[in-house]
mmCIF file of all heavy atoms in Angstrom:
data_model
loop_
_atom_site.group_PDB
_atom_site.id
_atom_site.type_symbol
_atom_site.label_atom_id
_atom_site.label_comp_id
_atom_site.label_asym_id
_atom_site.label_seq_id
_atom_site.Cartn_x
_atom_site.Cartn_y
_atom_site.Cartn_z
ATOM 1 N N ILE A 516 65.043 -16.514 -33.117
ATOM 2 C CA ILE A 516 65.354 -16.820 -31.715
ATOM 3 C C ILE A 516 64.064 -17.202 -30.976
ATOM 4 O O ILE A 516 62.964 -16.831 -31.372
ATOM 5 C CB ILE A 516 66.011 -15.622 -30.993
ATOM 6 C CG1 ILE A 516 65.082 -14.397 -31.022
ATOM 7 C CG2 ILE A 516 67.368 -15.296 -31.598
ATOM 8 C CD1 ILE A 516 65.596 -13.247 -30.168
ATOM 9 N N GLU A 517 64.248 -17.955 -29.922
ATOM 10 C CA GLU A 517 63.148 -18.300 -29.028
ATOM 11 C C GLU A 517 63.574 -17.986 -27.604
ATOM 12 O O GLU A 517 64.670 -18.382 -27.184
ATOM 13 C CB GLU A 517 62.779 -19.784 -29.158
ATOM 14 C CG GLU A 517 62.181 -20.164 -30.501
ATOM 15 C CD GLU A 517 61.760 -21.617 -30.552
ATOM 16 O OE1 GLU A 517 61.917 -22.304 -29.502
ATOM 17 O OE2 GLU A 517 61.282 -22.073 -31.595
ATOM 18 N N ILE A 518 62.736 -17.276 -26.904
ATOM 19 C CA ILE A 518 63.029 -16.918 -25.517
ATOM 20 C C ILE A 518 61.777 -17.150 -24.678
ATOM 21 O O ILE A 518 60.675 -17.297 -25.205
ATOM 22 C CB ILE A 518 63.490 -15.456 -25.374
ATOM 23 C CG1 ILE A 518 62.422 -14.513 -25.921
ATOM 24 C CG2 ILE A 518 64.823 -15.229 -26.057
ATOM 25 C CD1 ILE A 518 62.770 -13.054 -25.730
ATOM 26 N N SER A 519 61.958 -17.202 -23.373
ATOM 27 C CA SER A 519 60.823 -17.426 -22.477
ATOM 28 C C SER A 519 60.828 -16.391 -21.352
ATOM 29 O O SER A 519 61.881 -15.847 -20.992
ATOM 30 C CB SER A 519 60.856 -18.840 -21.895
ATOM 31 O OG SER A 519 62.040 -19.037 -21.132
ATOM 32 N N PHE A 520 59.657 -16.155 -20.826
ATOM 33 C CA PHE A 520 59.452 -15.186 -19.740
ATOM 34 C C PHE A 520 58.744 -15.931 -18.613
ATOM 35 O O PHE A 520 57.561 -16.256 -18.715
ATOM 36 C CB PHE A 520 58.602 -14.021 -20.264
ATOM 37 C CG PHE A 520 58.369 -12.920 -19.268
ATOM 38 C CD1 PHE A 520 59.417 -12.227 -18.700
ATOM 39 C CD2 PHE A 520 57.070 -12.545 -18.918
ATOM 40 C CE1 PHE A 520 59.195 -11.198 -17.799
ATOM 41 C CE2 PHE A 520 56.838 -11.518 -18.020
ATOM 42 C CZ PHE A 520 57.912 -10.839 -17.464
ATOM 43 N N PRO A 521 59.456 -16.255 -17.509
ATOM 44 C CA PRO A 521 58.863 -17.080 -16.448
ATOM 45 C C PRO A 521 57.750 -16.342 -15.699
ATOM 46 O O PRO A 521 57.884 -15.172 -15.358
ATOM 47 C CB PRO A 521 60.052 -17.376 -15.528
ATOM 48 C CG PRO A 521 61.001 -16.238 -15.745
ATOM 49 C CD PRO A 521 60.854 -15.855 -17.196
ATOM 50 N N ILE A 522 56.655 -17.057 -15.439
ATOM 51 C CA ILE A 522 55.509 -16.439 -14.776
ATOM 52 C C ILE A 522 54.838 -17.410 -13.813
ATOM 53 O O ILE A 522 55.016 -18.622 -13.902
ATOM 54 C CB ILE A 522 54.450 -15.963 -15.802
ATOM 55 C CG1 ILE A 522 53.882 -17.167 -16.571
ATOM 56 C CG2 ILE A 522 55.016 -14.915 -16.743
ATOM 57 C CD1 ILE A 522 52.683 -16.850 -17.443
ATOM 58 N N PHE A 523 54.069 -16.855 -12.882
ATOM 59 C CA PHE A 523 53.085 -17.592 -12.106
ATOM 60 C C PHE A 523 51.729 -17.247 -12.717
ATOM 61 O O PHE A 523 51.299 -16.091 -12.672
ATOM 62 C CB PHE A 523 53.096 -17.190 -10.630
ATOM 63 C CG PHE A 523 54.371 -17.522 -9.899
ATOM 64 C CD1 PHE A 523 55.163 -16.520 -9.374
ATOM 65 C CD2 PHE A 523 54.750 -18.842 -9.716
ATOM 66 C CE1 PHE A 523 56.321 -16.815 -8.691
ATOM 67 C CE2 PHE A 523 55.919 -19.160 -9.030
ATOM 68 C CZ PHE A 523 56.710 -18.141 -8.520
ATOM 69 N N ALA A 524 51.060 -18.234 -13.314
ATOM 70 C CA ALA A 524 49.769 -17.969 -13.954
ATOM 71 C C ALA A 524 48.700 -17.723 -12.896
ATOM 72 O O ALA A 524 48.618 -18.436 -11.891
ATOM 73 C CB ALA A 524 49.369 -19.149 -14.838
ATOM 74 N N VAL A 525 47.880 -16.700 -13.112
ATOM 75 C CA VAL A 525 46.809 -16.339 -12.179
ATOM 76 C C VAL A 525 45.502 -16.971 -12.652
ATOM 77 O O VAL A 525 45.183 -16.956 -13.842
ATOM 78 C CB VAL A 525 46.669 -14.809 -12.077
ATOM 79 C CG1 VAL A 525 45.496 -14.421 -11.186
ATOM 80 C CG2 VAL A 525 47.963 -14.198 -11.536
ATOM 81 N N SER A 526 44.735 -17.531 -11.713
ATOM 82 C CA SER A 526 43.489 -18.219 -12.041
ATOM 83 C C SER A 526 42.384 -17.217 -12.399
ATOM 84 O O SER A 526 42.529 -16.001 -12.221
ATOM 85 C CB SER A 526 43.028 -19.072 -10.856
ATOM 86 O OG SER A 526 42.637 -18.233 -9.777
ATOM 87 N N ALA A 527 41.261 -17.745 -12.877
ATOM 88 C CA ALA A 527 40.115 -16.892 -13.229
ATOM 89 C C ALA A 527 39.614 -16.133 -12.011
ATOM 90 O O ALA A 527 39.249 -14.956 -12.104
ATOM 91 C CB ALA A 527 38.998 -17.749 -13.829
ATOM 92 N N ILE A 528 39.609 -16.799 -10.867
ATOM 93 C CA ILE A 528 39.198 -16.119 -9.633
ATOM 94 C C ILE A 528 40.201 -15.037 -9.268
ATOM 95 O O ILE A 528 39.840 -13.915 -8.911
ATOM 96 C CB ILE A 528 39.060 -17.138 -8.486
ATOM 97 C CG1 ILE A 528 37.830 -18.016 -8.717
ATOM 98 C CG2 ILE A 528 38.976 -16.433 -7.136
ATOM 99 C CD1 ILE A 528 37.638 -19.098 -7.681
ATOM 100 N N GLY A 529 41.488 -15.359 -9.367
ATOM 101 C CA GLY A 529 42.528 -14.386 -9.042
ATOM 102 C C GLY A 529 42.468 -13.144 -9.914
ATOM 103 O O GLY A 529 42.788 -12.041 -9.473
ATOM 104 N N ARG A 530 42.033 -13.319 -11.174
ATOM 105 C CA ARG A 530 41.977 -12.181 -12.092
ATOM 106 C C ARG A 530 40.878 -11.189 -11.723
ATOM 107 O O ARG A 530 40.915 -10.034 -12.153
ATOM 108 C CB ARG A 530 41.789 -12.686 -13.525
ATOM 109 C CG ARG A 530 42.997 -13.420 -14.072
ATOM 110 C CD ARG A 530 42.917 -13.577 -15.578
ATOM 111 N NE ARG A 530 41.895 -14.517 -16.008
ATOM 112 C CZ ARG A 530 42.088 -15.825 -16.153
ATOM 113 N NH1 ARG A 530 43.278 -16.346 -15.877
ATOM 114 N NH2 ARG A 530 41.121 -16.620 -16.567
ATOM 115 N N LYS A 531 39.896 -11.636 -10.928
ATOM 116 C CA LYS A 531 38.823 -10.737 -10.499
ATOM 117 C C LYS A 531 39.204 -9.916 -9.268
ATOM 118 O O LYS A 531 38.599 -8.876 -8.995
ATOM 119 C CB LYS A 531 37.565 -11.557 -10.172
ATOM 120 C CG LYS A 531 36.845 -12.110 -11.383
ATOM 121 C CD LYS A 531 36.191 -10.985 -12.180
ATOM 122 C CE LYS A 531 35.370 -11.542 -13.325
ATOM 123 N NZ LYS A 531 34.751 -10.459 -14.130
ATOM 124 N N LEU A 532 40.192 -10.373 -8.538
ATOM 125 C CA LEU A 532 40.517 -9.753 -7.250
ATOM 126 C C LEU A 532 40.997 -8.305 -7.343
ATOM 127 O O LEU A 532 40.647 -7.494 -6.485
ATOM 128 C CB LEU A 532 41.554 -10.607 -6.508
ATOM 129 C CG LEU A 532 41.085 -12.029 -6.163
ATOM 130 C CD1 LEU A 532 42.202 -12.792 -5.467
ATOM 131 C CD2 LEU A 532 39.852 -11.982 -5.285
ATOM 132 N N PRO A 533 41.810 -7.937 -8.351
ATOM 133 C CA PRO A 533 42.267 -6.539 -8.392
ATOM 134 C C PRO A 533 41.132 -5.524 -8.453
ATOM 135 O O PRO A 533 41.316 -4.371 -8.034
ATOM 136 C CB PRO A 533 43.118 -6.490 -9.673
ATOM 137 C CG PRO A 533 43.637 -7.889 -9.820
ATOM 138 C CD PRO A 533 42.488 -8.753 -9.371
ATOM 139 N N THR A 534 39.958 -5.914 -8.946
ATOM 140 C CA THR A 534 38.832 -4.980 -9.009
ATOM 141 C C THR A 534 38.255 -4.685 -7.629
ATOM 142 O O THR A 534 37.483 -3.738 -7.473
ATOM 143 C CB THR A 534 37.705 -5.543 -9.895
ATOM 144 O OG1 THR A 534 37.193 -6.748 -9.315
ATOM 145 C CG2 THR A 534 38.227 -5.841 -11.299
ATOM 146 N N LEU A 535 38.635 -5.490 -6.627
ATOM 147 C CA LEU A 535 38.079 -5.330 -5.290
ATOM 148 C C LEU A 535 38.989 -4.549 -4.352
ATOM 149 O O LEU A 535 38.642 -4.355 -3.188
ATOM 150 C CB LEU A 535 37.796 -6.707 -4.676
ATOM 151 C CG LEU A 535 36.783 -7.567 -5.423
ATOM 152 C CD1 LEU A 535 36.666 -8.933 -4.779
ATOM 153 C CD2 LEU A 535 35.428 -6.877 -5.457
#
Side-chain angles (χ1 to χ4, degrees):
I516 59 172
E517 293 183 2
I518 58 176
S519 61
F520 183 59
I522 63 171
F523 295 116
V525 176
S526 68
I528 289 177
R530 291 195 290 272
K531 287 291 185 181
L532 298 178
T534 63
L535 299 176

